[in-house]
């Protein structure tokens, strides 16, 4: 039988030859080629991998390649990849909305029917293992030069206390002074008016609803310059008196993205979206945070007319599938990093992904969702470049230490920072302090908690959306114990806006996405969305003697309960971690947390105790992993922590 050298053997042979030839080469082209060959040789050496890890490209068949904007690990071990329209206006116009389900174990892919444009939605893990997805895109932005029809906000009033009024998309509004006609782009429901008092003392307050309207024809002659009252075509009698529109200037100004109210639960077992009640507010770029009781907080986003939701926050109850407003308002910019940090307490790190005024809602602090009290946390460095920064609850979660990494200026500001900032919420008066600098000044870094209690941070760009070829191809590991970083293997491609990373059950990390504004250093060519998915294998995967949890069946373990697992070589097991699966979009992954478990060793395994605090261990599915004395983690098994029972009164 003829021996066929393996790919690794051939690569090593080529690398060895390159080493010999390098010294005799002349000319930049030959030198560059040889350097690339040597680099390829070096990063594939066992010693290099054992120290720095290794990157590989996932083989994605062409029919499953999408502009991945959102990614979430499900308790089935599969990853939900969501594009929606994928920041592609042509896809939006064609109603081509994409979701792909990927199984990292078998590298199998499946297209999932996508009911709405979930581009720029919010998502979070629910207690039963479903993924709540809420919000998305109703309309794409139009820059000032691209707006061809005058348009803007129409406030529709209803003075009838006895009946609500519904107006379909295409309803026409004609100004009483301007005599110009506009039509609504979406349906709008105006509630019945509010009626107070009796007899001669009755007071009726008109109800209002908002809808985006556009002129019927193109051209500047159709815009309006002042506030006007608008009659609604098709109405007669009392309805024509009770219902009317009021609009300020309807013009050719830039039109921002607009959100939707729609909400869905993705069922990982049935592998389909299930419609639930819509939010009260339309939201594009919202953050969803699972609370200690399994309910979900929905915050911020752009509404149905493209304005930041003005502090109207909502709670989703998975038991009823319905939303309700919080009684008091609190404003945040879009995609704020909001971590569950105590019972009814949420920590806002200051990280966010974009829209909102530069001087409002950007100061870090601890928010009591129940009382609406907000306690500012001072000391954060570079406070004017927190937009597009990454935030992480450092492992283990019991220490309540948070890190904010990198970031840039508001909007398209060119400023960025290499700063990391750390705060310990257990202190009597928490205050941020600087940690070690990142590998470069970056916006959009992706950080992932690893089961060995380190944090991998990778990629980002020095300027807005990778402008001027500013993508950074570097990665590092941060050790919270020593407060130090070290470089690891460089990523394969640049990743900036619309990129992210997730920990997989086998201990590897997937990276996805990137939506550069331009494709060249001169900023003259349009860029292409990065559809490549990569896998980073950390150094611990290259060690021999990896520990093993020998029972792989899923279990349900309540807060404060013990559970015993058989393992390989129990005497070598040093610690155990419960890791919540990630749900990543727009530099935001508030789901991920790694929780230390109390552990005692048995003759053939370990007995583990889940903490009792539901704010530390919010309900849902978790990856359980044990780690040996060398810091090598086992492959994870799945554990379900149900909603905590309320103590009887």
């Amino acid at each position: 039988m003829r021996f066929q050298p393996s790919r690794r053997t051939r690569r090593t042979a080529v690398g060895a030859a390159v080493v010999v030839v390098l010294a005799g080469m002349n000319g930049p082209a030959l030198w560059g080629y040889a350097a690339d060959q040597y680099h390829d040789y070096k990063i594939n050496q066992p010693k290099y991998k054992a120290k720095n890890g290794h990157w590989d490209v996932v083989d994605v068949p062409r029919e499953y390649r999408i502009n991945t904007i959102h990614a979430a690990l499900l308790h089935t071990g599969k990853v939900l990849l969501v594009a929606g329209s994928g920041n592609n206006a042509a896809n939006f116009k064609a109603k081509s909305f994409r979701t792909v389900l990927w199984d990292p174990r078998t590298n199998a892919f499946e297209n999932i029917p996508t009911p709405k444009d979930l581009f720029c939605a919010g998502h979070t893990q629910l207690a039963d293992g479903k993924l709540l997805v809420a919000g998305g895109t109703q309309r794409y932005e139009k820059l000032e030069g691209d707006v061809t029809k005058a348009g803007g906000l129409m406030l529709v009033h209803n003075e009838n206390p006895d009946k609500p009024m519904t107006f379909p998309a295409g309803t026409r509004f004609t100004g009483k002074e301007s005599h110009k006609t506009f039509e609504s782009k979406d349906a709008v429901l105006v509630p019945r008016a509010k009626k107070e008092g009796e007899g001669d003392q009755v007071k009726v307050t008109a109800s209002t609803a908002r809808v985006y309207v556009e002129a019927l024809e193109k051209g500047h002659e159709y815009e309006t310059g002042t506030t006007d009252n608008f009659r609604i075509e098709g109405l007669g009698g009392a309805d024509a008196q009770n219902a009317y529109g009021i609009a300020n200037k309807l013009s050719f100004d830039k039109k921002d993205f607009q959100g939707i109210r729609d909400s869905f639960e993705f069922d990982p077992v049935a592998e389909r979206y299930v419609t639930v009640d819509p939010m009260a507010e339309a939201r594009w770029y919202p953050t969803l945070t699972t609370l200690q009781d399994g309910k979900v907080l929905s915050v911020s986003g752009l509404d149905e007319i493209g304005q930041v939701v003005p502090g109207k926050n909502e709670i989703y109850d998975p038991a009823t599938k319905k939303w309700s407003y919080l009684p008091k308002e609190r404003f945040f910019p879009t995609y704020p990093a909001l971590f569950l940090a105590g019972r009814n307490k949420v920590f806002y790190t200051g990280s966010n992904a974009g829209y909102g005024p530069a001087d409002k809602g950007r100061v870090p602090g601890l928010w009591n969702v129940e009382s609406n009290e907000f306690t500012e946390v001072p000391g954060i460095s570079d406070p004017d470049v927190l937009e597009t920064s990454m935030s992480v609850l450092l492992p283990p979660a019991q220490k309540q230490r948070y890190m904010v990494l990198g970031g840039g200026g508001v909007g398209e500001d060119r400023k960025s920072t290499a700063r990391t900032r750390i705060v310990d919420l257990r202190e009597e008066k928490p205050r941020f302090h600087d940690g070690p600098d990142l590998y470069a000044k970056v916006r959009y870094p992706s950080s992932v908690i690893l089961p060995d209690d380190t944090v991998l941070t990778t990629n980002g760009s020095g300027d807005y959306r990778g402008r001027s070829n500013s993508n950074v191809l570097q990665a590092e590991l941060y050790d919270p114990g020593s407060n130090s970083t070290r470089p690891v293997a460089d990523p394969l491609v640049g990743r900036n806006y619309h990129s992210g990373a997730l920990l997989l059950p086998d201990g590897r990390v997937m990276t996805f996405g990137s939506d550069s504004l331009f494709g060249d250093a001169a900023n003259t060519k349009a860029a292409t969305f990065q559809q490549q998915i990569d896998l980073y294998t950390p150094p611990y995967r290259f060690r021999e003697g990896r520990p093993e949890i020998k029972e792989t069946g899923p279990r349900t373990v309540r807060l404060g309960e013990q559970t015993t697992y058989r393992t390989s070589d129990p005497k070598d097991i040093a610690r155990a971690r419960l890791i919540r699966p990630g749900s990543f979009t727009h530099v935001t992954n508030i789901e991920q947390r790694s929780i230390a478990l109390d552990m005692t060793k048995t003759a053939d395994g370990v007995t583990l105790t889940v903490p009792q605090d539901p704010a530390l261990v919010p309900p849902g599915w978790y990856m359980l992993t044990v780690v040996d004395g060398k810091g090598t983690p086992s492959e994870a098994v799945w554990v379900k922590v149900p909603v905590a029972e309320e103590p009887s009164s």
Side-chain angles (χ1 to χ4, degrees):
M1 180 176 179
R2 188 175 179 182
F3 172 71
Q4 294 291 330
S6 68
R7 181 178 297 178
R8 175 178 293 179
T9 302
R10 289 197 299 271
R11 182 179 290 144
T12 302
V14 169
V18 167
V19 175
V20 174
V21 172
L22 273 177
M25 285 191 170
N26 295 312
L30 289 176
W31 174 261
Y33 173 78
D36 287 344
Q37 291 295 306
Y38 178 66
H39 175 73
D40 186 56
Y41 162 76
K42 184 179 76 169
I43 65 174
N44 284 282
Q45 298 308 296
K47 286 185 178 180
Y48 183 90
K49 292 180 181 180
K51 181 180 179 182
N52 301 293
H54 187 73
W55 292 88
D56 294 285
V57 179
V58 176
D59 181 15
V60 183
R62 183 169 297 279
E63 63 268 30
Y64 300 112
R65 297 175 191 171
I66 62 173
N67 294 356
T68 303
I69 308 292
H70 315 266
L73 175 63
L74 308 174
H75 71 86
T76 57
K78 297 181 181 181
V79 178
L80 192 70
L81 308 171
V82 183
S85 58
N87 202 19
N88 184 312
N91 288 344
F92 178 80
K93 187 175 181 180
K95 297 189 184 308
S96 175
F97 309 142
R98 298 289 306 277
T99 299
V100 169
L101 195 60
W102 171 48
D103 189 341
R105 295 162 299 190
T106 62
N107 204 42
F109 295 83
E110 179 183 357
N111 283 313
I112 303 294
T114 308
K116 290 281 186 175
D117 189 5
L118 302 180
F119 168 56
C120 295
H123 35 88
T124 192
Q125 308 279 357
L126 295 175
D128 62 359
K130 297 184 180 72
L131 185 79
L132 178 65
V133 185
T137 305
Q138 174 177 270
R139 189 162 291 106
Y140 266 60
E141 71 176 354
K142 285 186 178 180
L143 302 180
E144 216 166 315
D146 298 327
V147 179
T148 59
K149 291 183 178 181
L153 166 66
M154 179 71 67
L155 277 176
V156 188
H157 291 64
N158 179 17
E159 294 185 355
N160 189 339
D162 298 320
K163 73 172 184 179
M165 302 289 287
T166 300
F167 301 102
T171 296
R172 294 190 172 185
F173 300 80
T174 301
K176 292 182 179 180
E177 293 186 12
S178 68
H179 305 293
K180 295 175 180 178
T181 299
F182 297 80
E183 66 178 10
S184 62
K185 306 309 293 181
D186 302 283
V188 60
L189 168 65
V190 193
R192 54 174 57 89
K194 185 177 181 181
K195 182 178 179 181
E196 298 176 304
E198 297 291 339
D200 294 339
Q201 303 300 314
V202 169
K203 178 183 178 182
V204 175
T205 304
S207 64
T208 61
R210 304 182 303 176
V211 68
Y212 181 77
V213 297
E214 278 187 355
L216 303 182
E217 304 289 340
K218 298 179 180 179
H220 284 271
E221 64 268 29
Y222 296 103
E223 67 182 332
T224 67
T226 58
T227 301
D228 197 357
N229 286 346
F230 290 77
R231 63 178 176 83
I232 303 176
E233 292 189 10
L235 297 184
D239 284 347
Q241 297 297 317
N242 288 325
Y244 53 90
I246 295 180
N248 294 321
K249 181 181 178 182
L250 298 172
S251 65
F252 286 78
D253 293 342
K254 173 183 181 291
K255 314 299 182 186
D256 277 320
F257 280 96
Q258 298 169 5
I260 59 176
R261 294 177 171 83
D262 302 73
S263 301
F264 305 90
E265 291 183 0
F266 184 81
D267 186 332
V269 178
E271 298 184 345
R272 67 186 182 95
Y273 290 100
V274 178
T275 303
V276 297
D277 269 17
M279 296 178 289
E281 297 289 324
R283 299 181 190 271
W284 185 88
Y285 263 48
T287 292
L288 305 186
T289 302
T290 297
L291 303 176
Q292 74 275 354
D293 57 3
K295 295 178 181 178
V296 175
L297 172 68
S298 178
V299 169
S300 195
L302 299 188
D303 62 17
E304 71 275 19
I305 60 165
Q307 296 181 356
V308 181
V309 176
K312 297 180 178 181
N313 305 312
E314 304 178 55
I315 297 288
Y316 176 73
D317 187 345
T320 62
K321 314 294 186 189
K322 295 182 181 298
W323 295 87
S324 59
Y325 279 120
L326 285 177
K328 297 179 180 179
E329 296 182 2
R330 179 155 301 279
F331 179 88
F332 294 95
T334 56
Y335 278 134
L338 297 171
F339 292 81
L340 178 63
R343 293 188 181 233
N344 297 312
K345 291 183 178 179
V346 170
F347 180 52
Y348 172 48
T349 65
S351 292
N352 63 89
Y355 297 80
D359 58 351
K360 186 178 179 182
R362 294 179 182 264
V363 178
L366 196 60
W367 177 31
N368 187 313
V369 176
E370 191 171 50
S371 68
N372 203 37
E373 180 183 0
F374 189 88
T375 305
E376 293 186 2
V377 174
I380 197 159
S381 59
D382 288 354
D384 60 336
V385 285
L386 289 178
E387 193 163 289
T388 63
S389 61
M390 180 79 203
S391 288
V392 177
L393 170 55
L394 294 173
Q398 281 92 335
K399 294 187 176 182
Q400 282 297 292
R401 297 174 70 238
Y402 295 81
M403 174 180 266
V404 179
L405 304 97
V410 174
E412 297 188 21
D413 193 310
R414 292 186 178 276
K415 287 186 294 187
S416 59
T417 183
R419 294 284 183 89
T420 69
R421 310 80 153 184
I422 301 170
V423 62
D424 185 344
L425 293 188
R426 297 174 306 168
E427 294 178 347
E428 184 178 350
K429 294 182 178 180
R431 184 180 183 86
F432 279 96
H433 302 278
D434 283 353
D437 279 358
L438 284 168
Y439 38 75
K441 294 180 177 182
V442 285
R443 290 171 168 261
Y444 324 103
S446 292
S447 297
V448 176
I449 298 168
L450 300 183
D452 65 351
D453 284 355
T454 61
V455 178
L456 171 72
T457 299
T458 181
N459 285 114
S461 65
D463 197 353
Y464 176 76
R465 288 183 62 178
R467 190 166 46 194
S468 303
N469 263 9
S470 61
N471 281 338
V472 177
L473 272 71
Q474 294 185 62
E476 67 183 26
L477 287 174
Y478 171 72
D479 182 350
S482 62
N483 191 33
S484 62
T485 63
R486 70 176 185 89
V488 292
D490 294 336
L492 303 178
V493 294
R495 299 193 187 275
N496 52 73
Y497 184 53
H498 289 150
S499 68
L502 292 175
L503 175 69
L504 301 179
D506 64 6
R508 294 180 297 173
V509 174
M510 66 159 291
T511 60
F512 64 90
S514 191
D515 197 358
S516 295
L517 196 59
F518 299 103
D520 64 332
N523 300 323
T524 60
K525 298 179 181 178
T528 302
F529 195 103
Q530 179 55 261
Q531 295 184 335
Q532 179 173 308
I533 296 174
D534 293 327
L535 285 172
Y536 175 69
T537 304
Y540 53 63
R541 283 287 304 262
F542 294 100
R543 299 181 193 136
E544 294 184 0
R546 188 179 191 191
E548 178 185 359
I549 299 176
K550 294 187 175 181
E551 299 169 59
T552 58
R555 297 190 182 185
T556 298
V557 184
R558 298 186 180 279
L559 297 175
E561 284 188 348
Q562 292 185 336
T563 182
T564 300
Y565 283 89
R566 292 187 304 113
T567 69
S568 60
D569 199 8
K571 63 179 179 297
D572 195 37
I573 303 299
R575 58 186 183 271
R577 295 291 183 263
L578 207 56
I579 302 177
R580 192 167 177 87
S583 181
F584 200 118
T585 189
H586 291 80
V587 212
T588 307
N589 185 1
I590 55 173
E591 289 286 349
Q592 62 174 342
R593 60 175 58 204
S594 178
I595 301 152
L597 303 181
D598 288 340
M599 181 182 73
T600 57
K601 299 178 183 180
T602 66
D604 61 352
V606 292
T607 297
L608 308 171
T609 303
V610 177
Q612 292 185 325
D613 184 359
L616 175 65
V617 192
W621 286 84
Y622 287 82
M623 294 179 282
L624 170 66
T625 183
V626 294
V627 184
D628 68 16
K630 298 177 183 177
T632 306
S634 68
E635 183 159 347
V637 298
W638 288 95
V639 174
K640 183 181 181 182
V641 178
V643 177
E645 296 180 3
E646 291 292 332
S648 57
S649 56

Short mmCIF file of all heavy atoms in Angstrom, two decimals, residues 13 88 116-117 123 133 156 202 216 221 245 254 273 300 303 314 328 362 418 478 513:
data_model
loop_
_atom_site.label_atom_id
_atom_site.label_comp_id
_atom_site.label_asym_id
_atom_site.label_seq_id
_atom_site.Cartn_x
_atom_site.Cartn_y
_atom_site.Cartn_z
N ALA A 13 6.44 19.61 6.26
CA ALA A 13 7.55 19.49 5.31
C ALA A 13 7.79 20.80 4.58
O ALA A 13 8.92 21.26 4.43
CB ALA A 13 7.26 18.36 4.31
N ASN A 88 -29.31 44.30 4.88
CA ASN A 88 -29.34 44.35 3.42
C ASN A 88 -30.72 44.84 3.00
O ASN A 88 -31.71 44.12 3.14
CB ASN A 88 -29.04 42.97 2.84
CG ASN A 88 -28.96 42.96 1.33
OD1 ASN A 88 -29.82 43.51 0.65
ND2 ASN A 88 -27.92 42.34 0.79
N LYS A 116 -40.51 37.27 10.83
CA LYS A 116 -40.41 38.72 10.68
C LYS A 116 -38.94 39.09 10.48
O LYS A 116 -38.05 38.24 10.60
CB LYS A 116 -40.95 39.43 11.93
CG LYS A 116 -42.45 39.33 12.11
CD LYS A 116 -43.19 40.32 11.22
CE LYS A 116 -44.68 40.33 11.51
NZ LYS A 116 -45.40 41.35 10.75
N ASP A 117 -38.69 40.36 10.21
CA ASP A 117 -37.30 40.78 10.09
C ASP A 117 -36.73 40.98 11.50
O ASP A 117 -36.90 42.03 12.11
CB ASP A 117 -37.16 42.07 9.28
CG ASP A 117 -35.71 42.38 8.97
OD1 ASP A 117 -34.83 41.54 9.31
OD2 ASP A 117 -35.43 43.44 8.40
N HIS A 123 -32.63 39.41 22.45
CA HIS A 123 -32.91 38.00 22.75
C HIS A 123 -32.29 37.61 24.08
O HIS A 123 -31.29 38.21 24.51
CB HIS A 123 -32.42 37.08 21.63
CG HIS A 123 -31.16 37.51 20.94
ND1 HIS A 123 -29.90 37.17 21.38
CD2 HIS A 123 -30.98 38.27 19.84
CE1 HIS A 123 -29.00 37.69 20.56
NE2 HIS A 123 -29.62 38.37 19.63
N VAL A 133 -37.11 36.15 21.55
CA VAL A 133 -36.61 37.11 20.57
C VAL A 133 -37.69 38.18 20.41
O VAL A 133 -38.84 37.86 20.10
CB VAL A 133 -36.33 36.44 19.21
CG1 VAL A 133 -35.70 37.44 18.24
CG2 VAL A 133 -35.43 35.22 19.38
N VAL A 156 -51.77 60.73 15.72
CA VAL A 156 -53.19 60.51 15.42
C VAL A 156 -53.97 60.59 16.73
O VAL A 156 -53.66 59.88 17.69
CB VAL A 156 -53.41 59.16 14.73
CG1 VAL A 156 -54.85 59.04 14.26
CG2 VAL A 156 -52.46 59.00 13.54
N VAL A 202 -67.92 66.33 33.18
CA VAL A 202 -67.18 65.34 32.39
C VAL A 202 -66.02 66.01 31.66
O VAL A 202 -66.17 67.07 31.06
CB VAL A 202 -68.11 64.65 31.37
CG1 VAL A 202 -67.28 63.83 30.37
CG2 VAL A 202 -69.08 63.75 32.08
N LEU A 216 -47.35 61.55 -1.07
CA LEU A 216 -47.75 60.66 -2.16
C LEU A 216 -46.79 60.75 -3.34
O LEU A 216 -46.63 59.78 -4.09
CB LEU A 216 -49.17 61.00 -2.62
CG LEU A 216 -50.27 60.96 -1.56
CD1 LEU A 216 -51.61 61.29 -2.19
CD2 LEU A 216 -50.31 59.58 -0.91
N GLU A 221 -41.51 70.06 -3.13
CA GLU A 221 -42.72 70.88 -3.06
C GLU A 221 -43.80 70.23 -2.19
O GLU A 221 -44.80 70.87 -1.82
CB GLU A 221 -43.28 71.15 -4.47
CG GLU A 221 -43.76 69.92 -5.22
CD GLU A 221 -42.67 69.30 -6.09
OE1 GLU A 221 -41.47 69.44 -5.73
OE2 GLU A 221 -43.02 68.69 -7.11
N GLY A 245 -55.25 64.09 12.69
CA GLY A 245 -53.79 64.00 12.84
C GLY A 245 -53.17 65.36 13.09
O GLY A 245 -53.74 66.39 12.70
N LYS A 254 -32.92 62.97 7.43
CA LYS A 254 -32.54 61.56 7.56
C LYS A 254 -33.60 60.79 8.36
O LYS A 254 -34.12 61.28 9.36
CB LYS A 254 -31.19 61.45 8.28
CG LYS A 254 -30.75 60.04 8.62
CD LYS A 254 -29.44 60.07 9.39
CE LYS A 254 -28.94 58.67 9.74
NZ LYS A 254 -29.79 58.01 10.74
N TYR A 273 -39.94 29.06 15.41
CA TYR A 273 -40.38 30.24 16.15
C TYR A 273 -41.87 30.10 16.49
O TYR A 273 -42.67 29.68 15.66
CB TYR A 273 -40.20 31.50 15.30
CG TYR A 273 -38.77 31.92 15.08
CD1 TYR A 273 -38.10 31.63 13.89
CD2 TYR A 273 -38.08 32.64 16.06
CE1 TYR A 273 -36.79 32.04 13.68
CE2 TYR A 273 -36.77 33.06 15.86
CZ TYR A 273 -36.13 32.75 14.67
OH TYR A 273 -34.84 33.16 14.46
N SER A 300 -35.07 49.98 26.08
CA SER A 300 -34.54 50.83 25.02
C SER A 300 -34.93 50.33 23.62
O SER A 300 -35.88 49.56 23.45
CB SER A 300 -33.02 50.99 25.15
OG SER A 300 -32.56 52.06 24.35
N ASP A 303 -38.07 53.19 18.23
CA ASP A 303 -39.49 52.84 18.13
C ASP A 303 -39.97 52.84 16.68
O ASP A 303 -39.17 52.84 15.73
CB ASP A 303 -40.33 53.76 19.00
CG ASP A 303 -40.22 55.23 18.58
OD1 ASP A 303 -39.77 55.52 17.45
OD2 ASP A 303 -40.58 56.10 19.40
N GLU A 314 -40.33 47.38 29.75
CA GLU A 314 -41.39 46.38 29.87
C GLU A 314 -40.87 45.09 30.49
O GLU A 314 -39.68 44.79 30.45
CB GLU A 314 -41.98 46.07 28.49
CG GLU A 314 -42.51 47.29 27.75
CD GLU A 314 -43.05 46.93 26.37
OE1 GLU A 314 -43.93 46.05 26.28
OE2 GLU A 314 -42.59 47.53 25.38
N LYS A 328 -42.52 52.97 36.43
CA LYS A 328 -41.73 54.19 36.31
C LYS A 328 -40.75 54.07 35.15
O LYS A 328 -40.28 52.98 34.84
CB LYS A 328 -40.99 54.49 37.61
CG LYS A 328 -41.92 54.73 38.80
CD LYS A 328 -41.14 55.00 40.06
CE LYS A 328 -42.07 55.24 41.25
NZ LYS A 328 -41.31 55.49 42.50
N ARG A 362 -25.86 57.43 29.99
CA ARG A 362 -24.61 56.75 29.68
C ARG A 362 -23.71 56.56 30.90
O ARG A 362 -22.60 56.05 30.77
CB ARG A 362 -23.87 57.49 28.58
CG ARG A 362 -24.62 57.44 27.25
CD ARG A 362 -23.91 58.20 26.14
NE ARG A 362 -24.67 58.16 24.91
CZ ARG A 362 -24.48 57.29 23.91
NH1 ARG A 362 -23.54 56.38 24.01
NH2 ARG A 362 -25.23 57.33 22.82
N ALA A 418 -8.04 51.51 24.36
CA ALA A 418 -7.55 50.18 24.74
C ALA A 418 -7.80 49.91 26.22
O ALA A 418 -7.42 48.85 26.72
CB ALA A 418 -6.05 50.08 24.46
N TYR A 478 -7.35 36.91 29.40
CA TYR A 478 -7.25 37.66 30.64
C TYR A 478 -7.49 36.70 31.81
O TYR A 478 -8.45 35.92 31.81
CB TYR A 478 -8.27 38.78 30.68
CG TYR A 478 -8.38 39.46 32.04
CD1 TYR A 478 -7.37 40.29 32.50
CD2 TYR A 478 -9.49 39.25 32.85
CE1 TYR A 478 -7.46 40.91 33.74
CE2 TYR A 478 -9.59 39.87 34.10
CZ TYR A 478 -8.58 40.68 34.54
OH TYR A 478 -8.67 41.29 35.77
N GLY A 513 -19.54 36.84 11.90
CA GLY A 513 -19.95 38.16 11.46
C GLY A 513 -18.84 39.18 11.28
O GLY A 513 -17.68 38.95 11.60
#
